[in-house]
Amino acid sequence: MTSQEAKSEQVIVVTVKVIDGDEDDFHFNVDHLIGKSKEQVMHRFQIKPPTGVIYHFAYEPGKILDENKTWRQEGVADHSTLLFGTEQQVG
């Protein structure tokens, strides 16, 4: 395996906490866009936001992650705990 192949398959385990109290562990490829991972989390927690309501990942309230960056670009470490909620909840 080349170093490029190893890099493309690096996975982190992240605990995601929803504002209502649910939490679960997710496995994310560090080079996938954060925005693309939201669908996986919304499906697992059965979140169906109304039109125009956007959910975000955040390290803590006020520290929202940029969903146009990858997990690696945002520096999210293995075994991190992130909040997941609307901008009003986590922003």
Side-chain angles (χ1 to χ4, degrees), residues 3-12 27-37 67-76:
S3 61
Q4 183 62 37
E5 286 172 335
K7 187 176 172 183
S8 69
E9 294 179 10
Q10 188 176 349
V11 172
I12 55 173
H27 296 79
F28 297 131
N29 181 313
V30 295
D31 294 311
H32 283 185
L33 289 176
I34 292 171
K36 296 284 185 194
S37 301
E67 63 185 51
N68 295 311
K69 292 185 177 177
T70 65
W71 295 101
R72 183 190 308 274
Q73 287 171 322
E74 279 287 47
V76 177

Side-chain angles (χ1 to χ4, degrees), residues 10-55:
Q10 188 176 349
V11 172
I12 55 173
V13 178
V14 176
T15 300
V16 177
K17 288 186 173 188
V18 183
I19 297 303
D20 67 11
D22 283 348
E23 67 179 73
D24 207 348
D25 291 337
F26 290 84
H27 296 79
F28 297 131
N29 181 313
V30 295
D31 294 311
H32 283 185
L33 289 176
I34 292 171
K36 296 284 185 194
S37 301
K38 291 198 304 188
E39 293 169 21
Q40 187 181 346
V41 173
M42 293 171 113
H43 179 75
R44 175 103 42 101
F45 292 122
Q46 299 178 350
I47 296 170
K48 294 178 177 61
T51 304
V53 175
I54 298 170
Y55 274 70

Side-chain angles (χ1 to χ4, degrees), residues 55-67:
Y55 274 70
H56 299 277
F57 290 102
Y59 275 118
E60 58 189 58
K63 301 234 186 219
I64 292 177
L65 300 181
D66 184 343
E67 63 185 51

